[in-house]
Amino acid sequence: MKSKRSRLDRYLAKELVQPKKVIRQILLQGRVKLDGEVCKDMDKLIDEFSHIKFDEQVLQSLQPVYIMLHKPVGVVSATKDLQHKTVLDLIDHPQKNELHIVGRLDLNTSGLLLLTNDSRWSNKLMQPENKIPKRYRVQLANPIHPDYIESFAKGFYFEYEQITTLPAQLEIIAEREAIVSIQEGKYHQVKRMFGRFRNPVVALHRLSVGGLSLDNSLEAGESRMLMPNEVFMALEEPKWSED
Ligand code: URA
């Protein structure tokens, strides 16, 4: 999802259908307010959430929306689908059609799914170079061998993408159950990692993204808005005590 940053003068020229030199005069006359303050700077960078007023006319006043959903198994991480219920069908928000998904989960994966209209936030969360950990609880068909831990830490070469996965942490919590933390989100990544040991994943549940955990009070299918501090927590290092 591309973030929508642009220069104030370009935005105004398009919105008011006026040439740049008229826009320059309008700005110098102090007729434009950016986030409540008069702005005369043509080069000023704005984004989709900048509040822009020209005289008494509000040109832009979009609010950022951040939602956490407890995605159930059997619901598709898409905004439209002909066959299955989508995660958007589970959300009740007036701006829901402007939202996009931050890191899809497979049809049969459950857990924390984030939705937003803020593409800068979602890009930060998804870019592998930002190394935001995504933690999953995994149930396997067969016993997990302790040797897996080193292989996960070293990374796996994925032929299709021609990449080696970033170091991942594997914590074995029962004979066939583990917590996995990965730093990127390649297609079917966790399943493919266990697939290297011919050990099929039978259940997969995302517990957290960065420092933001799924709210335990949300039943599968329920969602809620994030609080402002939680928007930052998703970008932070996790501080785990329990799950
Ligand atoms: N890895 C998978 O294999 N599936 C998911 O849904 C998420 C991570």
Side-chain angles (χ1 to χ4, degrees):
M1 184 69 43
K2 224 170 162 236
S3 118
K4 298 164 193 114
R5 283 199 125 195
S6 61
R7 268 173 46 163
L8 179 60
D9 61 344
R10 286 202 192 125
Y11 169 84
L12 291 170
K14 205 164 159 220
E15 205 60 26
L16 303 176
V17 202
Q18 293 292 341
K20 281 259 182 72
K21 74 172 190 240
V22 175
I23 297 300
R24 186 175 304 140
Q25 284 162 3
I26 288 176
L27 282 163
L28 291 175
Q29 287 161 357
R31 295 170 68 189
V32 176
K33 276 192 180 164
L34 179 61
D35 297 329
E37 306 270 332
V38 170
C39 178
K40 298 186 178 182
D41 180 359
M42 304 194 303
D43 300 336
K44 193 86 185 168
L45 284 180
I46 56 158
D47 64 25
E48 65 267 49
F49 304 117
S50 306
H51 189 277
I52 303 170
K53 213 170 157 192
F54 165 59
D55 291 340
E56 290 314 305
Q57 192 187 347
V58 175
L59 298 178
Q60 184 177 279
S61 65
L62 187 64
Q63 293 295 317
V65 177
Y66 307 95
I67 289 178
M68 80 153 68
L69 167 73
H70 182 166
K71 179 196 170 299
V73 165
V75 174
V76 73
S77 290
T79 47
K80 280 189 205 117
D81 192 88
L82 295 176
Q83 227 188 326
H84 297 100
K85 200 182 234 195
T86 72
V87 290
L88 268 202
D89 295 329
L90 300 174
I91 297 215
D92 181 20
H93 189 278
Q95 278 167 260
K96 75 176 199 172
N97 291 320
E98 292 154 23
L99 303 180
H100 60 267
I101 297 162
V102 190
R104 289 164 200 281
L105 292 175
D106 296 338
L107 185 67
N108 55 5
T109 301
S110 58
L112 175 61
L113 190 80
L114 298 171
L115 295 109
T116 185
N117 58 356
D118 181 352
S119 35
R120 263 202 283 167
W121 185 69
S122 54
N123 286 342
K124 278 190 204 155
L125 287 175
M126 294 319 294
Q127 278 157 1
E129 54 273 29
N130 291 339
K131 301 192 173 163
I132 306 279
K134 287 101 193 162
R135 289 192 353 140
Y136 295 85
R137 195 177 56 234
V138 196
Q139 272 165 26
L140 285 309
N142 305 314
I144 308 164
H145 195 281
D147 284 355
Y148 291 15
I149 296 173
E150 202 187 328
S151 304
F152 273 66
K154 278 190 180 152
F156 298 91
Y157 183 69
F158 281 1
E159 182 83 48
Y160 181 75
E161 295 92 341
Q162 299 190 348
I163 55 119
T164 299
T165 55
L166 292 169
Q169 277 178 345
L170 175 70
E171 188 193 340
I172 303 170
I173 55 172
E175 193 188 28
R176 290 157 208 257
E177 199 168 335
I179 303 287
V180 177
S181 178
I182 57 174
Q183 303 181 40
E184 65 244 285
K186 302 293 172 210
Y187 180 68
H188 291 334
Q189 181 163 341
V190 174
K191 291 174 189 158
R192 286 160 79 193
M193 289 164 116
F194 284 102
R196 293 295 164 92
F197 304 99
R198 300 192 190 287
N199 197 348
V201 168
V202 293
L204 186 58
H205 179 82
R206 183 152 64 199
L207 297 164
S208 61
V209 172
L212 179 67
S213 297
L214 179 64
D215 182 339
N216 285 333
S217 68
L218 286 181
E219 298 287 336
E222 288 182 347
S223 62
R224 68 161 172 81
M225 304 279 285
L226 293 188
M227 287 173 288
N229 65 320
E230 293 178 316
V231 175
F232 292 104
M233 277 165 76
L235 298 167
E236 280 173 357
E237 284 288 312
K239 301 179 193 85
W240 309 123
S241 48
E242 49 43 83
D243 286 306

